[in-house]
Structures are given as C-alpha cells and as structure tokens.
Amino acid sequence: MDTILNIRTGWNNQTESHSKAMRSESKLAEFINSQKKNETAWFLISMIVQGVFFLPIPAVLVFSFNAPAYVLIFTLSLFFANIIAGMSSAGAKAIIYLFAASIVVHALLLAIFTL
C-alpha cells in the first residue's frame, strides 16, 4: 500500500552549487561564532586599523586627488558606528561585519577617486 510517507519528494534535493554556497556560508558563520571570546580583540583591531589607515584617507583624497568633501561622511559614520557597536557590546558578528564594510567602502573610495 502506497501512502504519502513512502512517496519520494524532491523537497530535500539540493543542487551542487546551492550546497557549496551553504557550506561556505556555514564556514563563515562558524568562524564568526567561534570569535565570540575574542570580541574585545576584534573591537581593538578595528579601531586601530581605522584610526591609522582609514581616517587619513579623506584628507588624502580631498587635498591630493580633488575629491569632494563629503567622502569624510562615509569615513566618520563607519568609524563612529564601529565605536558604538564595540562599546555597546553589539556582538562579534556586528563588529566583524562593520569592520568588513568599512574595508570595502574605503577600498571603493580609493578606487573611485584615485583611478
């Protein structure tokens, strides 16, 4: 007797690319979840890198490459967002994502105005 419990459905079938993407997302999630104990270190690293490398970028872009002054808004908003996230204990995931976003935004700023 065939019942609905014996019929094979295609719900659990995943394509290879989908499962590969899920594996890479789970690796990233596992890494971020494993960094919970290093939350303060990630905050300090992001503050040092932003203070030393990212905060001077608007000055260089504005004075050397004639960029508009509003590039300072991107840098300061990301900098203060990182400070607020770190000091309000937003979590390692938020700090790492904000740090990654600031790296991407500043790389784009440099690429747009220097090339």
Side-chain angles (χ1 to χ4, degrees):
M1 174 188 238
D2 252 350
T3 63
I4 194 151
L5 297 176
N6 294 335
I7 299 173
R8 291 187 56 105
T9 61
W11 296 339
N12 292 331
N13 295 339
Q14 293 179 347
T15 62
E16 183 63 32
S17 63
H18 181 67
S19 63
K20 186 182 276 189
M22 291 297 288
R23 277 186 256 134
S24 65
E25 285 178 12
S26 65
K27 286 181 183 179
L28 178 65
E30 286 177 17
F31 171 73
I32 291 174
N33 291 334
S34 71
Q35 295 301 312
K36 181 78 174 151
K37 62 184 177 291
N38 299 328
E39 187 174 322
T40 305
W42 275 105
F43 173 61
L44 289 175
I45 289 169
S46 71
M47 288 294 100
I48 290 170
V49 169
Q50 286 192 3
V52 173
F53 295 113
F54 294 160
L55 286 179
I57 286 176
V60 170
L61 290 177
V62 168
F63 294 117
S64 298
F65 295 101
N66 296 325
Y70 64 80
V71 296
L72 183 64
I73 294 171
F74 297 117
T75 300
L76 288 179
S77 61
L78 284 168
F79 180 71
F80 288 125
N82 271 307
I83 288 176
I84 292 168
M87 293 182 79
S88 66
S89 64
K93 183 183 279 189
I95 293 171
I96 292 172
Y97 282 151
L98 276 171
F99 184 47
S102 64
I103 290 171
V104 169
V105 166
H106 285 93
L108 284 173
L109 285 175
L110 286 172
I112 289 170
F113 292 110
T114 59
L115 296 179

